[in-house]
Amino acid sequence: AVEHVAINFGSQQEELEDITADEAARLADEGQFGKGSMEPKVRAAIKFARSRKGRTCIIGALDKAAETMAGLSGTRIHE
């Protein structure tokens, strides 16, 4: 239900558009993502991106699917 993955939620929130799987893992390990909400999605995206060379996983809002697929919305996680 969100357009982007974000860090520093509730303070100086920063939306992420393009990050590596390593960056995403580091941020997840720091507790930047909600344990029962965004963290499972980010961890799954990391696993997918690492599963085969050249893979990218995108997390985005379903109602923005066309924009996300066009690269105009969402967070891309890749190796």
Side-chain angles (χ1 to χ4, degrees), residues 3-40:
E3 282 191 56
H4 297 93
V5 173
I7 57 173
N8 303 319
F9 189 75
S11 59
Q12 295 181 350
Q13 184 170 316
E14 178 185 348
E15 292 183 343
L16 305 174
E17 294 181 2
D18 189 276
I19 59 173
T20 66
D22 288 344
E23 290 171 306
R26 180 182 55 80
L27 292 168
D29 291 344
E30 290 175 2
Q32 284 287 343
F33 311 118
K35 290 273 183 213
S37 60
M38 190 56 71
E39 183 176 339

